[in-house]
Amino acid sequence: MCGIVGYLGTGQAYPILIKGLKRLEYRGYDSAGVALVNQGSVDIHKCKGKVSDLEDHLNGVIPEGTLGIGHTRWATHGPPNDINAHPHASGNGDLAMIHNGIIENYATIKETLENRGHVFVSDTDTEVLIHLIEDIQSKTSVDLFEAVRLALAEVVGAYAIVVIDKKNPDRMIAAKKSSPLVIGVGSDGDYYIGSDATPIVEYTKNVVYMEDEEVALIDRNTGLKIVTIQNKEKVPYIQELEIQLETLEKGGYDYFMHKEIYEQPRSIIDCFRGRMNVQQGTIRMSGIDDHAEKWINARRVIIVACGTSWHAGLVAEYLFEDIARLPVEVEYASEFRYRNPIIYEDDIVVAISQSGETADTLAAIEMAKEHGAHIFGVCNVVGSTISRTTHSGAYTHAGPEIGVASTKAFTAQVTVLTLMALSVAQKRGTISDARLHRLIAELNSIPDKVEEVLKTNDQVEYISDIYKNAGNALYLGRGSSFPVALEGALKLKEISYIHAEGYPAAEMKHGPIALIDEEMPVFVIATQGQSYEKVVSNIQEVKARKGKIIAIVTEGDKTVKAMADHSIEIPKTDESLVPLVSVIPFQLLSFHIAVMRGCNVDQPRNLAKSVTVE
Ligand code: M6R
């Protein structure tokens, strides 16, 4: 996590840095800071809180300089306070640095440096690294570029860093390992740096995605030079960005999350556009078609992911097993990698990640690669680390998701995974033509059905008002509605801070039922399908204990509606596609409750959008 920006060019750096930090604030908002080189000094301004707090802290002062760096922090080492905020300075005050990642061996380096007389003011690993760079410079009298390279050769851990020097207003040095870093190359000799391309897209579409263990020198006079930590020169590969500026704005909504919930009919279409032919009943996905033999002969599919992406993976388990008859295991990436799992060369590992940067998912991929498995990535962010690390993959094309709580990313992931299951089923001959045609046509109708569900907004808002002060909530579902129950509970807890649990409806009687009383709202997905009658019984069990039932039902339902305290109707669809529509009321519900409770919807406490630490 943490967002980093940098600018070296002909204009004033500060407005570019502040705007960039606002774009990257989803990555962490514990503190913010900037450093600018101006007339032989490096001016650092930083404070606890958000980028707007930094602006308040500056109290109308606009720092000057055409070279600068900025940082928005998600705290790892040391509490969020002014001192631990980035940028950090070297001991002599010449250098300033921003960092995203974790230096794992910082304690050992710190001890050595303290023995050599270095004094540290913060609790951060970042300050240790900038002192190490300074120490190497003073011992060896190499230039800053070389000192950064030599320092990084001693470092264990993850980093994306940018370093500036008050004595050299014409240069900035950047480097990366495991944390993302993008360099924008402007037409007028201006250079931009960002943790992702969002702070850059406004100024240039030409970007270089840095690779691990690369160090870049950006010089006003000589341009961009990249070497590896082993000092091998690389030719920068400039790519053209595809994101549009409007997608990074709120577009009339008060919250990004609200906008993103409403974008889903469009983002689902964007996801299947060009991949699905409704008339012919075919699916085209190059990531699968180009490796058809691997999918046909696969022993099993292992899905690795975290959070919401893991929930999408659970939905996919039902799809792949039912439609493609392939055994599937769905793993938390963080658990999988430390379990010494058995991975075969004919396994396919599907890594799901909106950001494409999640450290645990990346580490799981690396481990699976070592075992020879084929790795398939389902990512949203184009050019992200995971999308570049995998053997093949499919983008979700949901567009930038800025709200920390995932909404459109989830439905786009489920859409891609559905397409994948259909494509693989077709190749493996496990689906009849009639069913394939039917499912493709049904998937094609999902955006309209999501549009219909969005019309329940006022009703959901009314229900939200009734339950906004609940202390706990239970979410229940069966089959592929169970992951939706998990996702509903995650949405509520992460943005409303109400404790919520998702359970398979039938599991309730094995423990959670003890929690039910007249205070407990129980959100149940009770749509038509093979478990409908069973879910009806589960609802009776809740009612018998005076719990409040809020049910998601298929339109026209009578049985559950008669029993529930509130019910929200959603359009009928094939049972395997229900998650794409049933999740929408839960997204709206958590959104409204969070707004009513005065919570920060887009930037919930303690969270960050992109989790690049393990
Ligand atoms: O970027 P990823 O999909 O890999 O992120 C994984 C989780 O951190 C993420 O899904 C998180 O749970 C959601 N933002 C919560 O809404």
Side-chain angles (χ1 to χ4, degrees):
M1 358 267 252
C2 299
I4 64 179
V5 290
Y7 173 74
L8 168 69
T10 47
Q12 284 296 310
Y14 179 74
I16 295 169
L17 298 178
I18 286 291
K19 204 170 202 182
L21 288 180
K22 286 184 178 161
R23 292 253 161 84
L24 290 177
E25 207 165 26
Y26 71 87
R27 300 178 66 86
Y29 27 84
D30 288 332
S31 64
V34 292
L36 288 94
V37 172
N38 187 32
Q39 298 184 343
S41 74
V42 60
D43 302 330
I44 299 181
H45 306 274
K46 57 184 189 173
C47 66
K48 179 178 178 208
K50 297 178 184 292
V51 181
S52 58
D53 294 310
L54 173 66
E55 289 178 294
D56 293 346
H57 169 81
L58 280 162
N59 200 15
V61 174
I62 306 288
E64 291 193 7
T66 58
L67 166 62
I69 53 180
H71 188 273
T72 175
R73 177 171 188 241
W74 186 82
T76 56
H77 292 64
N81 59 28
D82 293 355
I83 293 176
N84 290 330
H86 296 215
H88 287 281
S90 55
N92 60 11
D94 284 2
L95 310 177
M97 184 171 99
I98 47 174
H99 170 215
N100 167 31
I102 289 183
I103 308 300
E104 286 169 14
N105 57 341
Y106 84 103
T108 324
I109 300 174
K110 188 171 184 176
E111 198 182 332
T112 312
L113 290 173
E114 278 174 335
N115 290 337
R116 288 173 49 75
H118 287 258
V119 176
F120 295 93
V121 294
S122 77
D123 308 311
T124 65
D125 50 342
T126 307
E127 193 188 9
V128 174
L129 179 54
I130 191 66
H131 275 248
L132 176 64
I133 293 168
E134 174 190 14
D135 194 69
I136 290 174
Q137 256 195 315
S138 70
K139 272 191 316 206
T140 58
S141 67
V142 293
D143 73 358
L144 183 59
F145 184 42
E146 181 64 357
V148 169
R149 189 185 70 77
L150 293 173
L152 292 177
E154 291 184 32
V155 155
V156 179
Y159 53 80
I161 58 165
V162 189
V163 189
I164 54 175
D165 179 356
K166 74 174 187 188
K167 295 201 286 329
N168 198 335
D170 293 331
R171 288 183 150 199
M172 62 180 169
I173 319 291
K176 92 144 222 139
K177 183 179 176 197
S178 301
S179 298
L181 201 64
V182 189
I183 300 174
V185 183
S187 53
D188 40 11
D190 286 7
Y191 288 91
Y192 309 84
I193 290 180
S195 293
D196 65 30
T198 59
I200 299 173
V201 61
E202 196 158 345
Y203 311 104
T204 177
K205 295 245 162 176
N206 295 327
V207 295
V208 176
Y209 288 96
M210 285 187 73
E211 299 287 343
D212 276 353
E213 304 207 326
E214 286 184 350
V215 190
L217 166 66
I218 297 164
D219 187 299
R220 244 183 245 283
N221 306 308
T222 54
L224 173 64
K225 174 180 172 179
I226 295 183
V227 300
T228 63
I229 298 283
Q230 295 74 31
N231 208 13
K232 195 161 160 266
E233 189 152 354
K234 302 265 289 276
V235 180
Y237 171 56
I238 298 182
Q239 305 183 37
E240 195 168 329
L241 279 178
E242 282 175 13
I243 43 175
Q244 303 302 323
L245 196 55
E246 319 76 82
T247 60
L248 305 174
E249 312 286 351
K250 286 193 189 135
Y253 288 85
D254 287 339
Y255 302 92
F256 279 112
M257 183 185 178
H258 205 198
K259 174 185 171 230
E260 287 155 6
I261 291 173
Y262 275 82
E263 278 176 348
Q264 290 175 105
R266 164 65 36 205
S267 54
I268 294 172
I269 292 176
D270 287 345
C271 183
F272 58 59
R273 179 184 291 120
R275 290 171 166 159
M276 192 169 87
N277 186 318
V278 185
Q279 278 71 40
Q280 292 170 8
T282 51
I283 308 282
R284 223 182 50 210
M285 297 181 87
S286 57
I288 292 194
D289 300 343
D290 296 349
H291 303 272
E293 286 306 308
K294 287 213 180 290
W295 285 94
I296 290 167
N297 300 316
R299 182 191 293 247
R300 71 189 161 159
V301 171
I302 303 173
I303 296 178
V304 291
C306 307
T308 290
S309 300
W310 183 76
H311 297 157
L314 287 177
V315 175
E317 181 176 21
Y318 291 90
L319 292 164
F320 271 90
E321 295 202 341
D322 175 33
I323 303 172
R325 305 303 295 148
L326 249 175
V328 177
E329 286 171 27
V330 188
E331 305 271 359
Y332 281 120
S334 53
E335 290 298 315
F336 178 69
R337 51 179 302 215
Y338 287 116
R339 221 190 45 218
N340 193 14
I342 296 161
I343 307 171
Y344 300 102
E345 287 189 1
D346 51 357
D347 282 337
I348 295 185
V349 172
V350 177
I352 309 173
S353 174
Q354 186 285 132
S355 62
E357 303 294 346
T358 301
D360 287 319
T361 309
L362 257 170
I365 290 173
E366 292 307 335
M367 190 183 70
K369 257 189 184 172
E370 279 164 27
H371 287 78
H374 179 76
I375 320 288
F376 189 98
V378 176
C379 296
N380 190 37
V381 177
V382 176
S384 55
T385 309
I386 293 178
S387 68
R388 287 179 290 127
T389 313
T390 43
H391 297 122
S392 62
Y395 283 119
T396 49
H397 297 307
E401 189 181 67
I402 315 278
V404 164
S406 283
T407 51
K408 63 174 180 171
F410 175 77
T411 45
Q413 287 166 343
V414 173
T415 305
V416 162
L417 292 159
T418 307
L419 292 170
M420 287 169 64
L422 291 173
S423 166
V424 172
Q426 193 176 26
K427 289 181 173 47
R428 288 168 57 89
T430 55
I431 188 168
S432 68
D433 277 356
R435 187 171 184 211
L436 181 64
H437 267 81
R438 213 172 43 244
L439 280 173
I440 288 178
E442 195 52 38
L443 187 55
N444 195 45
S445 73
I446 290 294
D448 288 343
K449 293 185 175 172
V450 169
E451 199 81 65
E452 277 304 303
V453 184
L454 288 169
K455 291 183 188 152
T456 63
N457 178 62
D458 290 354
Q459 187 199 358
V460 176
E461 190 172 1
Y462 171 79
I463 295 171
S464 304
D465 195 40
I466 298 172
Y467 296 103
K468 64 177 185 287
N469 294 321
N472 297 287
L474 205 55
Y475 285 72
L476 304 176
R478 293 186 81 139
S480 61
S481 291
F482 161 53
V484 177
L486 290 174
E487 177 60 7
L490 176 64
K491 288 291 87 93
L492 189 69
K493 58 190 150 191
E494 70 179 324
I495 62 168
S496 303
Y497 317 141
I498 294 174
H499 172 244
E501 298 287 341
Y503 261 90
E507 273 295 300
M508 183 187 62
K509 57 186 174 293
H510 298 288
I513 199 164
L515 294 168
I516 292 173
D517 59 17
E518 59 277 13
E519 301 292 317
M520 174 73 99
V522 181
F523 298 91
V524 189
I525 302 150
T527 46
Q528 293 295 336
Q530 60 168 347
S531 321
Y532 178 76
E533 300 300 338
K534 304 277 179 208
V535 175
V536 169
S537 304
N538 299 140
I539 291 174
Q540 301 275 25
E541 289 155 16
V542 173
K543 289 306 295 176
R545 280 138 191 107
K546 299 194 168 58
K548 299 281 181 290
I549 290 286
I550 305 96
I552 312 273
V553 297
T554 311
E555 59 190 356
D557 181 282
K558 291 205 171 51
T559 312
V560 173
K561 272 181 96 173
M563 293 157 57
D565 295 271
H566 310 276
S567 47
I568 301 162
E569 291 193 24
I570 61 171
K572 188 169 174 48
T573 184
D574 188 281
E575 197 174 351
S576 52
L577 303 181
V578 168
L580 287 167
V581 274
S582 60
V583 75
I584 310 290
F586 288 163
Q587 296 171 345
L588 288 169
L589 181 99
S590 56
F591 167 75
H592 287 301
I593 290 184
V595 172
M596 288 170 190
R597 288 167 68 95
C599 299
N600 189 332
V601 172
D602 286 333
Q603 296 174 343
R605 71 181 180 210
N606 304 339
L607 288 172
K609 183 82 181 155
S610 181
V611 187
T612 55
V613 294
E614 292 174 32

